[in-house]
């Protein structure tokens, strides 16, 4: 578990994330490397670094129906989605020239209903899969016409708010592991998400576009999740523990009450980091659903910097279309 600032404020990188013991405990269920620095710290940096051309332009998904109370009643014309994709491409291209990893972004403007993605390859989820685990658990409970048990609620709370791995493993087993996750995610419209095998839920593979579909299932209309299930996930995503509220929140207005979930994982095979962030943000008074996935960063500092830079650029581009 990590510690730092509370939700609903513009994100800063926390001074100290955890000691070796705490970080190893947090990441163990995600197949983390066994060797980590004496302290995993997030410090301001000059920005992430990478070679140009790492990212390919992604596809566009046309959205129908209302997404939030401010959403339009009908889908925008395809040109609106193409315009958003173009704006993302222009805004995010400079980010690829200055990062040491690769990334992908998917964004939905909840008012117009336009969505677009930048980058279409799959990434490890790390702990963002915990939103998928909770959604799967709630679908299972809905099917069984019951509420969550007290034990399930306790596990869900610490799994989302504190990114607790032990709780995630317990609920992973309840939903039926990778097969249970895959079946539930398919019901929510995800087509390129595949649960991690051998109990390694943090090595679930997904795309930014699929994570945007998951966010739509949590925050939008017409979801397989009922209203109570959606409200429960939103509530927990709005109460993320101090120190874990970086990421897409960097693109939000100060005090806007961002709802999010982050994931971070050093890979033992490469020594490089997966750093991801998904959530709902409000910027310039407009609400967006945003998913940023990344891998290949040399450390957590640069991974967080990359995710936050990409989130700010994407949301800024979307806001620019409203000007």
């Amino acid at each position: 578990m990590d510690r730092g600032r509370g939700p609903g404020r513009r994100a800063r990188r926390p001074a100290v994330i955890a000691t070796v013991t705490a970080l190893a405990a947090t990441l163990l269920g995600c197949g983390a490397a066994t060797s980590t620095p004496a302290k995993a710290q997030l410090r301001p940096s000059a920005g992430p670094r990478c070679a140009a051309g790492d990212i390919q332009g992604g596809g566009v998904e046309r959205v129908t129906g209302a997404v939030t109370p401010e959403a339009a009643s009908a889908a925008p014309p395809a040109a609106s989605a193409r315009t958003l994709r173009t704006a993302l491409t222009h805004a995010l291209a400079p980010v690829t020239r200055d990062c040491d990893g690769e990334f992908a972004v998917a964004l939905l403007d909840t008012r117009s209903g336009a969505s677009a993605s930048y980058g279409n390859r799959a990434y490890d989820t790390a702990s963002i899969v915990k939103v998928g685990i909770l959604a799967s658990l709630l679908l299972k409970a809905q099917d069984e016409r019951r509420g969550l048990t007290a034990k399930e609620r306790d596990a869900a709370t610490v799994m989302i708010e504190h990114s607790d791995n032990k709780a995630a493993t317990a609920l992973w087993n309840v939903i039926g592991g990778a097969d249970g996750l895959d079946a539930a995610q398919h019901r929510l419209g995800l087509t390129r998400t595949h649960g991690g095998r051998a109990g390694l839920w943090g090595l679930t593979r997904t795309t930014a576009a699929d994570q945007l579909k998951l966010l739509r299932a949590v925050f939008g209309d017409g979801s397989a999740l009922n209203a109570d299930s959606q409200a429960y996930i939103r509530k927990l995503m709005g109460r993320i523990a101090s120190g874990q509220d970086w990421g897409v929140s960097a693109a939000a207005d100060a005090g806007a009450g961002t709802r999010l979930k982050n994931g971070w994982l050093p890979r033992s095979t490469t020594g490089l980091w997966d750093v991801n962030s998904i959530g709902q943000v409000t910027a310039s008074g407009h609400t967006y659903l945003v998913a940023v996935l990344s891998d290949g960063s040399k450390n957590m500092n640069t991974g967080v910097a990359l995710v936050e830079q990409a989130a700010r650029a994407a949301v800024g581009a979307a806001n620019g279309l409203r000007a």
Side-chain angles (χ1 to χ4, degrees):
M1 289 180 281
D2 297 343
R3 297 175 175 82
R5 289 186 323 113
R9 293 174 292 180
R10 189 178 301 275
R12 297 194 304 260
R13 297 183 188 90
V16 179
I17 293 297
T19 61
V20 170
T21 302
L23 181 61
T26 301
L27 295 170
L28 188 58
C30 301
T34 56
S35 60
T36 57
K39 287 190 178 181
Q41 296 179 326
L42 293 180
R43 300 188 180 97
S45 66
R49 298 181 56 79
C50 74
D54 286 341
I55 304 302
Q56 298 177 347
V60 176
E61 177 185 350
R62 188 171 178 176
V63 180
T64 58
V67 178
T68 70
E70 73 163 350
S73 60
S80 296
R82 288 196 297 270
T83 299
L84 178 58
R85 180 180 60 179
T86 299
L88 289 183
T89 299
H90 287 204
L92 291 168
V95 181
T96 71
R97 294 194 293 268
D98 295 322
C99 68
D100 64 358
E102 295 190 19
F103 71 95
V105 178
L107 177 144
L108 183 144
D109 180 335
T110 65
R111 184 174 182 180
S112 71
S115 72
S117 60
Y118 179 85
N120 55 18
R121 53 157 287 217
Y123 293 80
D124 300 327
T125 59
S127 284
I128 61 169
V129 74
K130 291 168 181 173
V131 176
I133 293 173
L134 179 54
S136 302
L137 175 67
L138 290 166
L139 284 176
K140 176 178 170 62
Q142 288 176 200
D143 293 343
E144 296 170 356
R145 299 182 181 277
R146 65 173 180 86
L148 298 186
T149 66
K151 186 175 181 180
E152 288 169 342
R153 283 187 173 274
D154 288 345
T157 297
V158 296
M159 177 179 72
I160 299 297
E161 295 183 11
H162 298 276
S163 206
D164 185 270
N165 283 349
K166 183 177 180 180
T169 297
L171 295 182
W172 178 259
N173 293 332
V174 171
I175 67 171
D179 291 340
L181 179 79
D182 290 352
Q185 301 295 274
H186 183 74
R187 289 173 63 181
L188 297 176
L190 285 67
T191 58
R192 296 186 61 196
T193 298
H194 305 287
R197 296 293 159 174
L200 298 177
W201 42 260
L203 297 185
T204 295
R205 299 285 286 175
T206 193
T207 64
D210 254 17
Q211 289 305 295
L212 187 62
K213 292 176 183 178
L214 178 59
L215 291 172
R216 288 190 63 212
V218 172
F219 292 96
D221 293 339
S223 173
L225 293 165
N226 64 31
D228 288 341
S229 294
Q230 288 179 307
Y232 183 61
I233 300 175
R234 294 174 194 170
K235 179 180 73 172
L236 297 185
M237 291 178 70
R239 300 195 315 204
I240 298 300
S242 307
Q244 296 186 17
D245 58 343
W246 43 265
V248 295
S249 55
D253 295 335
T258 300
R259 298 179 175 94
L260 58 78
K261 182 71 189 80
N262 296 325
W264 58 102
L265 170 65
R267 292 305 312 275
S268 58
T269 53
T270 63
L272 302 176
W273 283 71
D274 301 331
V275 180
N276 305 320
S277 184
I278 62 173
Q280 180 194 62
V281 302
T282 300
S284 301
H286 306 297
T287 303
Y288 301 94
L289 303 181
V290 188
V292 185
L293 309 182
S294 78
D295 63 17
S297 292
K298 64 183 178 182
N299 55 47
M300 188 171 174
N301 290 330
T302 57
V304 171
L306 169 58
V307 166
E308 292 188 340
Q309 186 179 355
R312 285 192 296 266
V315 171
N319 269 334
L321 296 178
R322 294 173 176 266

